[in-house]
Amino acid sequence: MIGKSTLIEAVAGTNRGLLTNSSQQQAILAAIANLEDFNPTPRPLAASNLLEGNWRLLYTTSKALLNIDRLPFCKLGQIYQCIRVESNSVYNIAEIYGIPSLEGLVSVAAKFEPVSQRRVQVKFQRSIIGLQRLIGYTSPENFIQQIESGQKFTAFDFPIQSEQQQGWLDITYIDDDLRISRGNEGSVFVLTKT
């Protein structure tokens, strides 16, 4: 598909959106909108086989995510969104790099509830922030298994109880290896399946 390769090429080298100027961002958003018009999966929430799995962020306009890179001594590593359809769970994991042996991790666990054929309501439940070596982090898959087993971590590990900590996400494009979502704060997310 021409639109898909155009989008992949447009986001390559942008460091997930950190290195874009306004004209690049406009071109990327146009490529995203063009691809969304040809979504091969009009009912993405019914396609649980496509939705399930670990997704790596290629591009976003989310200031909350991109601002992590602006913290002193921090560089944003890979960002993952891992979806477990059977338990209606989603895990957002951002790897943080900077000072050697002090690599960090920022993670949020949430539950999602379908509210239409392409929209989910997301309610954040738990946040884990700490050093990768103290948490025992080796991969998103391993980390999620630890969370699901009920493990407490040597980190800032706390429940999120506020009703304010929720939002929605529209899945506007999904195929075997690419997903585009739009969030309630106006952010766009382009992810590839790992």
Side-chain angles (χ1 to χ4, degrees):
M1 176 184 287
I2 294 171
K4 185 173 171 179
S5 61
T6 300
L7 176 60
I8 300 295
E9 287 173 22
V11 302
T14 67
N15 193 10
R16 290 158 306 230
L18 283 164
L19 304 177
T20 56
N21 60 38
S22 61
S23 65
Q24 286 175 303
Q25 191 173 47
Q26 286 178 342
I28 290 168
L29 292 175
I32 288 170
N34 183 50
L35 197 55
E36 289 171 326
D37 288 342
F38 298 100
N39 183 7
T41 315
R43 296 174 45 211
L45 293 174
S48 58
N49 61 316
L50 296 179
L51 196 54
E52 174 80 23
N54 298 340
W55 296 85
R56 183 174 50 85
L57 186 70
L58 297 177
Y59 178 82
T60 188
T61 58
S62 168
K63 298 284 185 243
L65 282 176
L66 296 177
N67 282 340
I68 293 172
D69 196 71
R70 293 181 174 90
L71 295 172
F73 309 111
C74 291
K75 285 289 160 215
L76 198 50
Q78 296 297 339
I79 300 173
Y80 298 95
Q81 185 173 74
C82 306
I83 298 173
R84 302 297 180 260
V85 174
E86 191 173 306
S87 62
N88 283 0
S89 299
V90 60
Y91 302 92
N92 295 325
I93 301 168
E95 299 173 350
I96 312 296
Y97 296 93
I99 300 170
S101 78
L102 295 179
E103 294 84 7
L105 187 75
V106 176
S107 174
V108 177
K111 290 289 188 185
F112 67 88
E113 179 184 345
V115 292
S116 76
Q117 293 183 6
R118 69 179 211 169
R119 178 171 288 183
V120 292
Q121 188 74 32
V122 180
K123 188 169 185 180
F124 300 102
Q125 296 190 313
R126 182 179 180 188
S127 183
I128 301 166
I129 303 167
L131 298 176
Q132 290 182 25
R133 62 185 174 84
L134 292 180
I135 292 170
Y137 179 81
T138 56
S139 70
E141 193 68 39
N142 175 268
F143 183 59
I144 291 167
Q145 287 174 353
Q146 291 173 295
I147 292 172
E148 289 179 343
S149 72
Q151 182 170 332
K152 290 291 273 178
F153 297 94
T154 305
F156 294 105
D157 183 352
F158 52 92
I160 300 172
Q161 296 175 335
S162 170
E163 289 300 314
Q164 302 298 318
Q165 296 299 316
Q166 57 185 344
W168 53 260
L169 193 68
D170 282 340
I171 301 165
T172 57
Y173 180 94
I174 191 169
D175 64 19
D176 290 334
D177 61 0
L178 189 74
R179 177 166 56 93
I180 300 171
S181 300
R182 293 182 179 264
N184 57 288
E185 295 180 347
S187 297
V188 176
F189 305 89
V190 179
L191 305 103
T192 186
K193 196 171 250 187
T194 61

